[in-house]
Amino acid sequence: MKQVEKRIVRAPSRFRNALPRYAVERTVRCIRCGTCVELCPLGVHEIRPGQNLVTSPNVERCIGISCRENDFFCVAHCPMEALSISENPLLQTLGDRRWTPELILSTWELAETGFPPANGKAVEGGDSGGGFDKLRFRWKREAPRLESLLEARINLSVRLNRRDRGPERSIGLPLYGGGMSFGSISLPTMIGKAGAARNMGTLTCTGEGGYPDELVPYAPWVITQVATGLFGVREETIKLAPVVEFKYAQGAKPGLGGHLLGDKVTPAVAALRETVPGHSLFSPFPFHSVYSVEDHRKHLDWVLEINPDALVSVKVSTPTDVDMVAVGSYYAGAHIVHLDGGYGGTGAAPEIAKKNIAMPIEYAIPKVHRFLEQEGIRDEVTLMAGGGIRTAYDAAKAIALGADGVVIGTAELVALECCRCGNCESGRGCPRGIATTDEEMSCLMDPEWAIQRITNLYHGWKIQLMEILWRLDLDSVEELRGRRDLLFHEDYQGTR
Amino acid sequence: MEVTSMNGWSTAGRTRPVRYSIETSCALPRYTPVGRFRVLRHEKTCINCGRCIKECIYDVHRRKPEDPRLMDEPLSHLCKNCFRCIQQCPTRSLSKILNPEYLRLGDEYWTPEIITSTWLQAETGRIPVFGAGYRGPFSGPGFDSMWTDMSEIVRPTRDGIHGREYIHTGIDLGRKPDHLEFDGAGNLAGLPARVVHLPIPVLFGAFPVDLYGTKVAEAVCLAARSLGTFFAFDPGNWPSLLNRYSSSGVPRIGDDLEKARASIQGAAMVEIPFSKDWGKKLEQIRKINPDALVSVALPFTPDADTAVEALAAGSADVIHLMADRHGRAPLLPGSPFLKDALQWIHLHLVEKRIRDEVTLLASGGIAAAEHVPKAIISGADGVVITYPLLIGLECLACRECSLPDTCPREIRHIDPDWGATRMINLMAAWQNQLLEVLGAMGLREVRRLRGETGRALYFDQLEREVFQEEFR
Ligand code: SF4
Ligand code: SF4
Ligand code: SF4
Ligand code: SF4
């Protein structure tokens, strides 16, 4: 994909207050002597005339208990012993086991600055106690300085078409944006995703809610999704698309069709989907025209008839026989097999499905990779993995397990300051203006800002991916594929 | 029960099949729900500007009705954790912590998440749906170490949840002999086995009336009757007022058969505890009521396999295997979890080729909707629950109930109709979730799920296959 390089500039938070990691308490014993104001070089303390503030005004700048080591540690120098610093219990209310508070804050920071944190302490993943969170790399060498890394010319591009027909296409990063429909997310969010794909030379996907006109300028970077509801699927948008994605299933609700609850079906959404406003939309499951690989092939033929230049991707989730499904998709003619694991997902999904149905992506990737190898067709198909990829590290781990690249969803929303509160499914949708179609909420976000935030995230990941490859002594991301020997599992740490 | 007959088809002169569906209606909570968060406002720094009122779309922040110049206490239980007020307050006066009361709910098995989700399902009858993907741990003990399968492309799924295809959630209780016998004239020899059909694979366990009172018992009766399922009860302390529900009741008979004679006579199923002389007791019950199914209840003991084998080879109709409240089988070495203990018994019967002769019910640790299909995959035909019904009545799972009338939720004083609606709502939500799971797997009926371990994915197995072998 052509890349329209864009400058990485700071895209500060839309909100006034950052979430502080630490709580700085000042008791009434404070005599406002100003010692702490002078001492702290980070500018945590400030005394404003006429105000008797008990908490510090710039508490998010505080570096916490570890400041103890420093000469300027305010707590030790306060003559009245009026100061104390502690972990902020507020953070316990942020995030969850998969997306820990630290991971959310660090993703926000990446999206703000476009660079990994300077102290080298990147957050690798979450605290889910399994899968990616238990896999670690066997590093070969130390991380380099940023300048040497940029000089090293590490190749991150991934070929999407490995078959002998159709045009050559590749993406500049081993990742692209997953399908989120207009309706589940707001228009500025969609534009943010598409603009970032353009800036970084990769792709994004419409999801199943149709193709809003506002996306047309980004058409070379936009995958059109055809899902079981066939909402908004039109010949023109198939013709526009570099890749057409068939969504057979999705990880967050495997075996179930898409859900868009009535509240979110606004007139604009309904118009695009050619449905009635206010009525819940449940996509059927499965495609009632596909009950075999042969039926599936007809689908692909149909797309190629309309747009012979399109690559075809098949999105499936991860049942016990996911390997068979992948091979079947290949034989039906797919260029890309896109596995969607259960632990990702953005839109509305029943809790029971998210937690219980089908296997996590960490198991599906190596299973499919090995099976494709055994069939002797591994190098004729591009394997993309999504559903639970939160960081550049997860992406690299997925590739080392056998994927060619990964598909990103939630992380993009977190880049737009999603706090993972999970309210996107109903009512007016996302209170932070991301996954909503409510007019007032959608105004909380400017599309240009959204483009910059997601571009920054991808740029930060790009640097992290280059650093990972450097530390593994590899020159290109294609060399990482299937290198399970470069990983170890914390629970079965061996000698190999 | 007479309208919808055994196979779910109408018998009342109609020929059109009647779909089983559960009517729900909202049953509001009696107490302010326990929210996950507590929103804190620092009164010394708050300048009462009202910005937080604008920010919060869930109405947590309000002004004091008696003095609109001042901000009121935040209505924390309404907070949905969006951080907007906290991030926009001009004086950083707002913060939020995990609500200690929430964290105190239940225990490590009956988690606050399970309890509050049960409350919501009992209130609305709807299945829990949220955005933003899965948030929990990768896997866990017990039922959390398995995933159910789904179908795609090459195996048809069933579009059941929105009613576009009918998926049957009913089960049959009773013996299913593997062959029929005919006499010389070609007529059926002996009576065909008696089978009772329940439209959902969930039965209600017994609620001690001395602890929870008559109103809870009546709610259970009403809900079971309306759902078409059974509830168990102890005839010893059963209020005679509730005898009118006896056709849905399963009396649990202790030693004194004579005293329980009346309740045996009126019952479609009777339960006895397993003992050395179970055969004799069974005979006696059959004499009193030849039509009643007899269920024999036993915990998972080290010799439960042979005991169950004898029961199945003998003439028990139903075997009820009981784990503890946390789904453990403490009498077995290593206290395995219900799913493993069940599988052991199920496979033993399969090996002896008598699995289809009896019905296996399992109880203990069935806490959430997904546990039903998972227990069935592990080998049960159906499950027996009590605790989730109690939690549906806003129980806090604080276990204060060992002393009557110390219950902070005054469970004894509920309105039976309200209680029944909450239980029916909960079962409606569970049934819909069962439909989701069955539909995803492409199964047309829950009976096909029994023992289908091939349609489940197991954490230990996948770890071994995918990681352990690789990363040795
Ligand atoms: S509702 Fe919450 S979880 Fe959903 S997108 Fe918005 S901030 Fe994220
Ligand atoms: S926004 Fe802050 S200062 Fe204003 S009323 Fe709310 S808590 Fe008080
Ligand atoms: S965090 Fe969000 S939901 Fe909670 S009180 Fe503040 S604005 Fe309301
Ligand atoms: S005392 Fe009441 S609230 Fe507590 S566990 Fe018992 S029934 Fe539930």
Side-chain angles (χ1 to χ4, degrees), chain A residues 40 59 123 126 145 176 207 216 227 315 352 367 407 445 478 488 490 495:
Chain A
C40 179
V59 58
V123 179
R145 292 161 52 96
Y176 62 65
V216 175
K315 177 173 177 179
I352 188 166
K367 255 174 174 284
V407 183
M445 200 161 68
E478 296 212 346
F488 67 92
E490 281 185 353
T495 46

Side-chain angles (χ1 to χ4, degrees), chain A residues 413 417-424 429-435, chain B residues 131-132 135:
Chain A
L413 302 188
E417 297 189 290
C418 160
C419 63
R420 295 201 39 78
C421 62
N423 300 314
C424 8
C430 172
R432 295 170 76 92
I434 305 160
Chain B
R135 289 155 222 283

Side-chain angles (χ1 to χ4, degrees), chain B residues 30 105 119 211-212 216 325 387 390-391 393-403 405-412:
Chain B
R30 298 169 301 150
L105 287 174
W119 289 347
L211 279 187
Y212 300 111
V216 170
R325 243 169 36 87
Y387 222 37
L390 199 59
I391 293 172
L393 303 178
E394 294 184 281
C395 157
L396 301 164
C398 63
R399 310 277 292 155
E400 288 296 321
C401 34
S402 44
L403 307 165
D405 252 348
T406 49
C407 174
R409 291 302 176 103
E410 302 179 295
I411 291 272
R412 295 171 72 96

Side-chain angles (χ1 to χ4, degrees), chain B residues 34-103:
Chain B
V34 182
R36 204 169 121 81
F37 309 102
R38 185 175 289 172
V39 181
L40 309 170
R41 170 180 288 106
H42 206 291
E43 298 209 343
K44 284 219 184 77
T45 56
C46 169
I47 52 171
N48 298 299
C49 68
R51 176 78 192 248
C52 48
I53 305 176
K54 281 212 205 82
E55 293 298 327
C56 184
I57 63 172
Y58 307 108
D59 297 330
V60 172
H61 301 285
R62 307 185 304 178
R63 292 190 177 273
K64 282 201 167 109
E66 67 277 13
D67 182 359
R69 286 170 305 177
L70 298 176
M71 293 300 296
D72 209 349
E73 264 303 293
L75 298 175
S76 288
H77 67 281
L78 299 177
C79 171
K80 292 214 187 189
N81 205 25
C82 75
F83 288 89
R84 263 177 67 171
C85 60
I86 292 160
Q87 288 198 272
Q88 298 288 48
C89 167
T91 59
R92 297 169 204 252
S93 298
L94 291 168
S95 191
K96 173 159 71 43
I97 55 170
L98 289 176
N99 182 0
E101 207 189 324
Y102 175 88
L103 297 175

